[in-house]
Amino acid sequence: MQTHRAKRVEITIEAIMQSRLTEAVQKAGITGFTVLPVLGGSGRSGEWTRAGEIGRASGMVQMICIIRSEKLDDLLDAAFSVVERHIGVVSIVDCEVLRAERF
Amino acid sequence: MQTHRAKRVEITIEAIMQSRLTEAVQKAGITGFTVLPVLGGSGRSGEWTRAGEIGRASGMVQMICIIRSEKLDDLLDAAFSVVERHIGVVSIVDCEVLRAERF
Amino acid sequence: MQTHRAKRVEITIEAIMQSRLTEAVQKAGITGFTVLPVLGGSGRSGEWTRAGEIGRASGMVQMICIIRSEKLDDLLDAAFSVVERHIGVVSIVDCEVLRAERF
Amino acid sequence: MEQILTLAGNNLISPIILSFALGVAASLARSDLSVPEAAAKALSIYLLFAIGFKGGVSVSSHGIDAKLGLTLLAGIILSAALPLIAFALLQVMTKLSRLDAAAVAAHYGSISIVTFVAATSVLESSDISSEGYMVAVAAAMEAPAILSALWLISRGGDGRRMDGDLMREIMLNGSIVLLVGAFFIGWATGEEGLAEISSFVVAPFKGVLCLFLLDMGLVAGRGLRGGSGVLRPGVLAFGITMPVIGSICGLGAGLLLGLSTGGVVLMMVLSASASYIAVPAAMRVALPEANPSIYLTLSLGVTFPFNLTLGIPLYVALATALTGV
Amino acid sequence: MEQILTLAGNNLISPIILSFALGVAASLARSDLSVPEAAAKALSIYLLFAIGFKGGVSVSSHGIDAKLGLTLLAGIILSAALPLIAFALLQVMTKLSRLDAAAVAAHYGSISIVTFVAATSVLESSDISSEGYMVAVAAAMEAPAILSALWLISRGGDGRRMDGDLMREIMLNGSIVLLVGAFFIGWATGEEGLAEISSFVVAPFKGVLCLFLLDMGLVAGRGLRGGSGVLRPGVLAFGITMPVIGSICGLGAGLLLGLSTGGVVLMMVLSASASYIAVPAAMRVALPEANPSIYLTLSLGVTFPFNLTLGIPLYVALATALTGV
Amino acid sequence: MEQILTLAGNNLISPIILSFALGVAASLARSDLSVPEAAAKALSIYLLFAIGFKGGVSVSSHGIDAKLGLTLLAGIILSAALPLIAFALLQVMTKLSRLDAAAVAAHYGSISIVTFVAATSVLESSDISSEGYMVAVAAAMEAPAILSALWLISRGGDGRRMDGDLMREIMLNGSIVLLVGAFFIGWATGEEGLAEISSFVVAPFKGVLCLFLLDMGLVAGRGLRGGSGVLRPGVLAFGITMPVIGSICGLGAGLLLGLSTGGVVLMMVLSASASYIAVPAAMRVALPEANPSIYLTLSLGVTFPFNLTLGIPLYVALATALTGV
Ligand SMILES: Nc1ncnc2c1ncn2[C@@H]1O[C@H](COP(=O)(O)O)[C@@H](O)[C@H]1O
Ligand SMILES: Nc1ncnc2c1ncn2[C@@H]1O[C@H](COP(=O)(O)O)[C@@H](O)[C@H]1O
Ligand SMILES: Nc1ncnc2c1ncn2[C@@H]1O[C@H](COP(=O)(O)O)[C@@H](O)[C@H]1O
Ligand code: NA
Ligand code: NA
Ligand code: NA
């Protein structure tokens, strides 16, 4: 089956920043992404879990964005502007996609 | 530690199509996969979130399938037959796995 | 934007083993990871879904750990010591990260 | 007329309607207020169980009516026929493609169980009784509309057909199974069973309905915000005209069958309401190319609030006038 | 005998049992009806809190019984001893490996709190009172069976041992902590505390139990569908024989201790029931090679429905006959 | 004094407080007891809806008080002023950085709605009535403190400012919208509306509060376990001193305004309590460099339990003594 090269960018970010990240990413011309819930985690600021939490102050989400390579820099700039002062992790992986016309 | 080459296929698909995808994939001889919940996303058909939804018409899930390279085409064919007329994203990444005998 | 090479390790493991995996991983000197909920899946031990379950005997979680390459073996050893007798899948992908000082 | 206005007025300032309005307003104002998906589903499970159970108990205590079979049949016919009317209307009133029109039409043949629940709660407040088996009629009306819509499409030359899997999925849809199952449980256990669990299924019912409608308001508001682009005037007008037409068909059927006033109201409500759970899911499987934001926004953002606020009092007034009670 | 049949009949058409049956049927018919995991957990938290609290209040008003200590001890001994019987029986009746047999055995020494809850609700309907501290006995019986099973395995030469972490996990298992904690809260606040929250913990209790059993039915049905392959006749027979044997042990203990009729019934139910929360989790950690579909299907798909439908009325009849009330 | 002790004693053995204690204990003992996030959110939605609704009904039946406007204003001023006091105190008592101190200060100007709810439930048990609009005052006090804290930081030369988005997010925060919305629904539908849904919003209220506090105890205990490192003696002392100072400011305002005894108590409670939902979220956006474990642990792990156990009885005693009832 015919596949096409693309980039898979995974941004783990505080839930409270999700709308800001979404906006920044969309301003950078990227409209496709998927957001996964996160149960818990650990990092320099300690361990946490969402169990029983009602606030949105703790808790993160993971945004997955599959894009053509040429849009990568725009996306990273947009993401960086949001995560810069915040906790969060950005990772990029090379991938292949079906139906390249969608990206 | 000894690792082995494999493919990690990630299929983001409408929740309502999950059982059909599962069936197609199993018919293609692939029995191992993991399904993650999806919180929301955005694409050509707009932005959405699962918050407060009770129907299964909106809402997607993500199936992750780790397979030996030689099974990739079977999996992609099976997946494609299901997503063909539907929204959804398929991406493939090269990976290494422990315990290759499991795949 | 400046990126740095790293490894993305994804460990799908029984929910009941999560605390043991976390401990083992932290003992191996790795403090950063993110845990995603898993909805369901299929493997050699059959198909399952979390819907309606109250126990923690069935059900898995996915831990994602982004690390510098040189820590990979420590992580895999730690993970393997936990998953060894248990069901579960470990996959490793090459990735790039922003803000390398965090890893 | 005055009576309608009074009833509509009373209806509009009930906690139930205001909770829905709060949800819509919060959503339009982009508040981050939201009900977790699992909580919304739990509320809907409660409502379906309670409404089905109470219907069954009512049948067990009033005995089965000779009209039950005929009423079920009437419901099935209405569900199958209304999409044809809706489809014709859509082709006149809007510029939707055949595919989108058929998908929308399916929603209007099928029913909205929350509108039904809200109507029963208005009937209760007004001390108007109704046949317990109307719950079973509601269940029977969920699916036939889908078949009609798919037939409309296949007639257009498109070879798409219902497969067995989809058929099973539609008939064994969680909400139908729960509604019908609870109905039989209520029927089997009767007043005695009700006594055991009435402080669960009766007492808190309206309050739970408020929270559920708050959530529906949030989802509807979100839909309106995102889908307002598709709401051309013609489409919008359809969303208000169709329930009125549907309710008149339901009225006719109810009068013909000789149902009680409450029964006629519920028949009107079922005919007037549009599905937003079973049918959208079926459409995503069978007609994935149809645009979901059209049918979801119409059904949940236009017709549902119309029925909830103006429709129900109107139907109550009409039925009361014509059944001469 | 007639009495048993009547009781069983009444029991079978209660909303509680029928809700469970609905869940099983929906699941076997592959309906997509499902209760969200978070909602199921919330229901179980409610039930544990309510049952523990009410037990504590009952102890606070009837005072502590001299038998409390002995009854707890009897519970612990039963929990530890029943796995040995179960293990022996499994080796006779089935071809399960030692590992699988030990894992199954552990489930039958431990208890199912929902079976306990369902039994208390049958006792209430029949106006049979029981010792409030039976809730504490239930908590005490959760864990010892696990130790017995691990001992059975280690005897077989396998060097596997309980580690401290697992021990802590078992003893501080969420459901034990909540049950015991709520028991102490009820004890401390007494009738006054109950008055404050009885419209939460008493009034809707049975209704909540219905929804919870609906969910358990869905999960059990799914298990039966997936795990029916492991249900060889011998294994199946064990799933029905063992609760009867357990109940007889519980009966003996209850009579020896001189418990009230209700207390004897609950002792029988605890002994007859098989765990499906605490023990499966412990087995996944300690004996990961044992096949979970065997013990889960047996416990939730065979023994639980047996106790719920036939077992409880049988135990009530036996206890009533033998305590001469 | 004796009265305070009795009240505190009664308060301490209420199911509500004990449920919180159970949560803390379970969490510190590392039990795996946990309430699913969705269930916890559902409980909080219920509580906000019920408390807002009941406040609105009370306003609708007692009419609007001339003092409403002034009380709202007083609330806003207190919310804006208390962070300045808190900030000064923090600089004297602790070694926190300006940033951390400002973030903590914001929490103490704002309010904890659960503390408010717990206080109303103590007032009810003691038959002390209060102004229904105190719920609106609670809502009005949520946000101003955030602005004060950001002003404190910007004064320190740091150019950080409130952006419009954040402003909207704070004002249209889900919990404010729900509280105020339910207040207006209660106001609009009045006693009649209450009659319809009182078996949902009144009867089970305290029981739901127990489960919610169980969850808050679990979260607080987890915070204490993880964040105990940041609880230096000075910080800890602040967490107990500040609510007392706040309550005295609230007391002064309540007496000046001539509120009822219950109203004065609630004013004290609002001033004494520290936010753990709205403000932490705003701080993560506006001051991400501030350490969340300091403000979360202080607010939820120290000040909340202090108010719940000792604070509320103290405030009730003071208000009762000084309003001479
Ligand atoms: N190396 C990592 N791999 C995966 N997730 C991480 C990593 N580091 C941090 N995270 C996630 O980001 C959150 C915040 O990290 P930190 O800023 O280090 O406290 C953590 O709680 C994790 O959910
Ligand atoms: N480029 C992408 N990267 C990640 N997820 C995507 C992407 N495009 C679409 N999706 C997901 O697929 C759904 C449907 O996409 P679409 O068919 O473009 O409307 C979206 O709501 C997202 O959840
Ligand atoms: N090849 C695979 N790809 C992704 N997930 C898998 C795979 N194999 C197993 N899993 C996950 O691991 C669980 C246990 O697998 P198993 O030990 O094969 O029964 C499954 O239920 C899946 O969630
Ligand atoms: Na209809
Ligand atoms: Na047992
Ligand atoms: Na305050």
Side-chain angles (χ1 to χ4, degrees):
Chain A
M1 184 147 290
Q2 174 69 24
T3 62
H4 311 264
R5 306 205 55 110
K7 297 282 184 181
R8 180 187 184 278
V9 181
E10 182 180 289
I11 307 173
T12 306
I13 192 173
E14 292 172 89
I16 194 84
M17 299 302 292
Q18 183 187 334
S19 58
R20 286 173 176 79
L21 177 62
T22 302
E23 241 173 64
V25 157
Q26 286 173 335
K27 254 190 216 145
I30 288 147
T31 54
F33 55 81
T34 294
V35 181
L36 305 183
V38 172
L39 259 192
S42 169
R44 295 169 313 157
S45 42
E47 223 173 320
W48 61 274
T49 153
R50 281 227 55 83
E53 293 284 349
I54 48 169
R56 299 203 308 144
S58 46
M60 309 195 82
V61 294
Q62 200 170 78
M63 177 189 275
I64 293 166
C65 202
I66 295 170
I67 47 167
R68 295 163 182 267
S69 312
E70 54 268 30
K71 286 197 196 163
L72 181 61
D73 266 334
D74 290 349
L75 173 58
L76 293 185
D77 287 339
F80 191 72
S81 73
V82 174
V83 298
E84 196 185 352
R85 289 171 54 218
H86 288 265
I87 62 176
V89 173
V90 181
S91 73
I92 307 112
V93 167
D94 286 317
C95 71
E96 304 275 321
V97 292
L98 298 187
R99 309 198 283 186
E101 70 284 2
R102 306 213 146 204
F103 298 93
Chain B
M1 185 150 286
Q2 176 70 22
T3 63
H4 311 264
R5 307 205 53 111
K7 297 282 183 181
R8 179 186 185 277
V9 181
E10 182 180 289
I11 307 173
T12 307
I13 193 174
E14 293 172 89
I16 194 82
M17 298 303 291
Q18 183 187 332
S19 57
R20 286 174 176 77
L21 178 61
T22 302
E23 242 172 63
V25 157
Q26 287 173 335
K27 253 190 218 146
I30 288 148
T31 54
F33 54 81
T34 293
V35 181
L36 305 183
V38 172
L39 258 192
S42 168
R44 294 168 315 157
S45 44
E47 222 172 321
W48 61 275
T49 154
R50 280 228 55 83
E53 293 286 347
I54 47 170
R56 299 202 310 146
S58 46
M60 309 194 82
V61 294
Q62 201 171 78
M63 178 190 275
I64 293 166
C65 204
I66 294 169
I67 46 166
R68 294 164 183 270
S69 312
E70 54 267 33
K71 287 196 194 163
L72 181 61
D73 265 334
D74 290 349
L75 174 58
L76 293 185
D77 287 338
F80 191 72
S81 73
V82 175
V83 299
E84 196 184 351
R85 291 171 53 219
H86 287 266
I87 62 176
V89 174
V90 181
S91 73
I92 306 112
V93 167
D94 287 317
C95 70
E96 304 274 322
V97 292
L98 298 187
R99 310 198 281 186
E101 71 284 2
R102 308 211 146 206
F103 297 93
Chain C
M1 184 150 289
Q2 175 70 23
T3 62
H4 311 265
R5 307 204 55 112
K7 297 283 183 181
R8 178 186 184 280
V9 181
E10 183 179 288
I11 308 172
T12 306
I13 193 174
E14 292 173 89
I16 195 84
M17 298 302 292
Q18 183 188 332
S19 57
R20 286 173 175 75
L21 177 62
T22 303
E23 240 172 65
V25 157
Q26 286 173 336
K27 253 190 217 147
I30 287 148
T31 55
F33 55 79
T34 294
V35 181
L36 304 183
V38 172
L39 258 191
S42 169
R44 296 169 311 158
S45 42
E47 223 173 318
W48 61 274
T49 152
R50 281 229 52 85
E53 294 283 351
I54 48 169
R56 299 201 312 144
S58 47
M60 307 195 82
V61 294
Q62 201 171 78
M63 178 190 273
I64 293 166
C65 203
I66 294 170
I67 46 166
R68 295 163 182 269
S69 312
E70 55 267 31
K71 286 195 193 164
L72 181 61
D73 266 333
D74 291 349
L75 174 58
L76 293 186
D77 287 339
F80 190 72
S81 72
V82 175
V83 298
E84 196 185 351
R85 290 172 52 219
H86 287 266
I87 64 178
V89 175
V90 181
S91 73
I92 306 113
V93 168
D94 287 317
C95 71
E96 304 274 321
V97 293
L98 297 186
R99 310 199 282 187
E101 71 284 2
R102 307 212 145 205
F103 298 92
Chain D
M1 192 62 208
E2 212 187 297
Q3 186 207 1
I4 306 186
L5 289 179
T6 316
L7 197 61
N10 282 343
N11 190 36
L12 286 178
I13 59 159
S14 79
I16 291 172
I17 308 291
L18 292 177
S19 297
F20 181 78
L22 173 59
V24 173
S27 199
L28 291 180
R30 296 175 173 267
S31 162
D32 69 349
L33 179 59
S34 74
V35 176
E37 179 189 358
K41 282 191 178 161
L43 293 176
S44 82
I45 287 172
Y46 168 84
L47 292 175
L48 289 166
F49 181 81
I51 195 85
F53 186 85
K54 288 185 284 186
V57 170
S58 148
V59 164
S60 103
S61 40
H62 298 120
I64 280 227
D65 204 306
K67 287 169 228 155
L68 168 59
L70 283 177
T71 313
L72 279 173
L73 190 68
I76 292 171
I77 293 173
L78 278 168
S79 174
L82 287 170
L84 310 181
I85 302 180
F87 188 73
L89 208 63
L90 282 163
Q91 294 200 307
V92 177
M93 293 178 73
T94 71
K95 293 184 181 153
L96 296 184
S97 70
R98 280 184 68 82
L99 204 69
D100 284 333
V104 169
H107 290 70
Y108 283 82
S110 185
I111 60 116
S112 147
I113 198 73
V114 189
T115 314
F116 180 82
V117 165
T120 58
S121 129
V122 168
L123 289 179
E124 255 168 48
S125 307
S126 320
D127 270 319
I128 304 177
S129 68
S130 61
E131 286 78 7
Y133 55 69
M134 290 307 294
V135 162
V137 179
M141 291 179 71
E142 289 234 32
I146 300 170
L147 298 176
S148 285
L150 296 185
W151 175 78
L152 279 170
I153 286 300
S154 68
R155 254 189 68 231
D158 189 326
R160 202 153 306 155
R161 276 198 324 273
M162 192 74 160
D163 62 5
D165 270 8
L166 179 57
M167 194 71 196
R168 208 206 59 235
E169 259 176 50
I170 293 170
M171 304 303 295
L172 291 179
N173 179 306
S175 56
I176 297 188
V177 167
L178 184 52
L179 192 65
V180 173
F183 177 80
F184 281 113
I185 294 177
W187 194 349
T189 61
E191 292 290 342
E192 216 174 303
L194 183 63
E196 285 192 66
I197 63 170
S198 78
S199 38
F200 180 68
V201 294
V202 177
F205 189 79
K206 273 195 189 167
V208 176
L209 187 55
C210 285
L211 286 196
F212 187 69
L213 283 175
L214 173 71
D215 177 56
M216 301 233 0
L218 289 167
V219 173
R222 211 193 293 147
L224 285 172
R225 234 172 53 205
S228 56
V230 303
L231 287 187
R232 303 284 153 73
V235 173
L236 201 72
F238 171 83
I240 288 170
T241 315
M242 188 60 210
V244 175
I245 296 178
S247 75
I248 292 170
C249 300
L251 175 66
L255 292 177
L256 271 180
L257 290 160
L259 297 178
S260 68
T261 308
V264 173
V265 170
L266 294 179
M267 203 64 166
M268 295 175 77
V269 166
L270 289 175
S271 307
S273 68
S275 171
Y276 60 84
I277 299 185
V279 181
M283 290 302 114
R284 286 314 296 153
V285 175
L287 304 179
E289 298 87 352
N291 182 350
S293 59
I294 298 176
Y295 50 73
L296 282 173
T297 312
L298 253 184
S299 164
L300 192 54
V302 179
T303 300
F304 177 68
F306 169 75
N307 278 326
L308 200 63
T309 52
L310 301 178
I312 293 176
L314 178 69
Y315 310 150
V316 171
L318 274 178
T320 315
L322 291 174
T323 56
V325 182
Chain E
M1 192 62 208
E2 210 187 299
Q3 186 207 0
I4 305 186
L5 289 178
T6 318
L7 196 62
N10 282 344
N11 189 34
L12 285 178
I13 59 159
S14 79
I16 291 172
I17 307 291
L18 292 176
S19 297
F20 180 79
L22 174 58
V24 173
S27 200
L28 291 180
R30 294 178 174 266
S31 162
D32 70 349
L33 179 59
S34 74
V35 176
E37 178 189 359
K41 283 193 180 162
L43 292 176
S44 81
I45 287 172
Y46 168 84
L47 292 175
L48 289 167
F49 181 81
I51 195 84
F53 186 85
K54 288 186 283 187
V57 170
S58 148
V59 165
S60 101
S61 40
H62 297 120
I64 281 228
D65 204 305
K67 290 169 225 154
L68 168 60
L70 284 177
T71 315
L72 279 173
L73 190 67
I76 292 171
I77 293 173
L78 278 168
S79 173
L82 287 170
L84 309 182
I85 302 179
F87 187 75
L89 208 62
L90 283 162
Q91 294 200 307
V92 176
M93 295 178 71
T94 71
K95 293 186 181 150
L96 295 184
S97 70
R98 281 184 66 83
L99 204 68
D100 283 334
V104 169
H107 290 71
Y108 284 80
S110 185
I111 59 116
S112 147
I113 198 72
V114 189
T115 313
F116 179 82
V117 165
T120 58
S121 130
V122 168
L123 289 180
E124 256 168 47
S125 308
S126 321
D127 269 319
I128 305 178
S129 68
S130 61
E131 287 79 6
Y133 55 69
M134 290 308 293
V135 163
V137 179
M141 289 178 72
E142 288 235 31
I146 299 171
L147 299 177
S148 285
L150 296 186
W151 174 78
L152 280 170
I153 286 300
S154 69
R155 255 188 68 233
D158 189 325
R160 202 151 309 153
R161 277 200 321 275
M162 190 73 161
D163 63 3
D165 270 8
L166 178 56
M167 193 69 195
R168 210 207 57 236
E169 259 177 52
I170 293 170
M171 303 304 297
L172 292 179
N173 180 307
S175 56
I176 297 188
V177 167
L178 185 52
L179 192 65
V180 173
F183 178 80
F184 281 113
I185 295 179
W187 194 349
T189 61
E191 291 289 344
E192 216 173 303
L194 182 63
E196 285 193 65
I197 63 172
S198 78
S199 38
F200 179 68
V201 295
V202 178
F205 189 79
K206 273 196 189 165
V208 176
L209 187 55
C210 285
L211 286 196
F212 187 70
L213 283 175
L214 174 70
D215 176 56
M216 302 235 357
L218 289 166
V219 174
R222 211 192 295 145
L224 284 173
R225 234 172 55 207
S228 56
V230 302
L231 287 187
R232 305 281 154 73
V235 172
L236 202 70
F238 170 83
I240 288 171
T241 315
M242 187 60 210
V244 175
I245 296 179
S247 76
I248 293 171
C249 300
L251 176 65
L255 293 177
L256 271 180
L257 290 160
L259 296 179
S260 69
T261 308
V264 172
V265 170
L266 294 180
M267 202 64 166
M268 294 174 78
V269 166
L270 290 175
S271 306
S273 69
S275 172
Y276 60 85
I277 300 184
V279 180
M283 291 302 114
R284 287 311 297 150
V285 175
L287 304 179
E289 297 87 353
N291 182 350
S293 60
I294 299 175
Y295 49 73
L296 282 174
T297 312
L298 254 185
S299 163
L300 192 54
V302 178
T303 300
F304 177 69
F306 169 75
N307 278 326
L308 201 61
T309 53
L310 302 178
I312 293 177
L314 177 70
Y315 311 149
V316 171
L318 275 178
T320 315
L322 291 173
T323 57
V325 181
Chain F
M1 194 60 209
E2 211 186 299
Q3 186 207 2
I4 306 186
L5 289 179
T6 317
L7 197 61
N10 282 343
N11 190 35
L12 286 178
I13 58 159
S14 80
I16 293 172
I17 307 291
L18 291 176
S19 297
F20 180 79
L22 173 58
V24 173
S27 199
L28 291 180
R30 294 176 173 268
S31 163
D32 69 350
L33 179 60
S34 74
V35 176
E37 178 188 359
K41 282 192 180 163
L43 293 176
S44 82
I45 287 172
Y46 169 83
L47 292 175
L48 288 166
F49 182 81
I51 195 84
F53 186 84
K54 288 186 282 186
V57 170
S58 148
V59 165
S60 102
S61 41
H62 297 120
I64 280 228
D65 203 306
K67 287 169 227 156
L68 168 60
L70 282 177
T71 314
L72 279 173
L73 190 68
I76 293 171
I77 293 173
L78 278 168
S79 173
L82 285 170
L84 310 181
I85 302 180
F87 188 73
L89 208 62
L90 283 162
Q91 295 200 306
V92 177
M93 294 177 73
T94 71
K95 290 183 182 154
L96 295 184
S97 69
R98 281 184 68 82
L99 205 68
D100 284 333
V104 169
H107 290 70
Y108 284 82
S110 186
I111 60 116
S112 147
I113 198 74
V114 190
T115 313
F116 179 83
V117 165
T120 57
S121 130
V122 168
L123 289 179
E124 256 167 47
S125 307
S126 321
D127 270 319
I128 304 177
S129 69
S130 62
E131 286 78 6
Y133 54 69
M134 290 309 293
V135 162
V137 178
M141 289 179 72
E142 288 235 32
I146 300 170
L147 298 176
S148 285
L150 296 185
W151 174 78
L152 279 170
I153 286 299
S154 69
R155 254 188 69 231
D158 188 326
R160 203 154 305 155
R161 277 201 321 275
M162 191 73 160
D163 64 3
D165 270 8
L166 178 57
M167 193 72 197
R168 209 205 59 236
E169 259 176 51
I170 294 170
M171 304 303 297
L172 292 179
N173 180 306
S175 56
I176 297 188
V177 167
L178 184 53
L179 192 65
V180 173
F183 177 81
F184 280 114
I185 295 177
W187 194 348
T189 61
E191 291 290 342
E192 216 172 303
L194 183 63
E196 285 193 66
I197 63 172
S198 78
S199 38
F200 179 67
V201 295
V202 178
F205 189 79
K206 273 197 190 165
V208 177
L209 187 55
C210 285
L211 286 195
F212 187 70
L213 283 176
L214 174 71
D215 177 55
M216 302 233 0
L218 289 167
V219 174
R222 210 192 294 146
L224 284 173
R225 233 172 55 207
S228 55
V230 303
L231 285 188
R232 304 283 152 72
V235 173
L236 201 72
F238 171 83
I240 289 170
T241 316
M242 188 59 212
V244 175
I245 296 179
S247 76
I248 292 171
C249 300
L251 176 65
L255 292 177
L256 271 179
L257 290 161
L259 297 178
S260 69
T261 308
V264 172
V265 170
L266 293 180
M267 202 65 166
M268 293 175 78
V269 165
L270 290 174
S271 306
S273 68
S275 172
Y276 60 84
I277 300 183
V279 180
M283 291 301 114
R284 287 312 298 151
V285 175
L287 304 179
E289 298 88 351
N291 182 350
S293 60
I294 298 176
Y295 50 72
L296 282 174
T297 312
L298 253 184
S299 163
L300 192 55
V302 179
T303 299
F304 177 68
F306 169 75
N307 279 325
L308 200 62
T309 52
L310 302 179
I312 293 177
L314 178 70
Y315 311 149
V316 171
L318 274 177
T320 314
L322 290 174
T323 57
V325 181

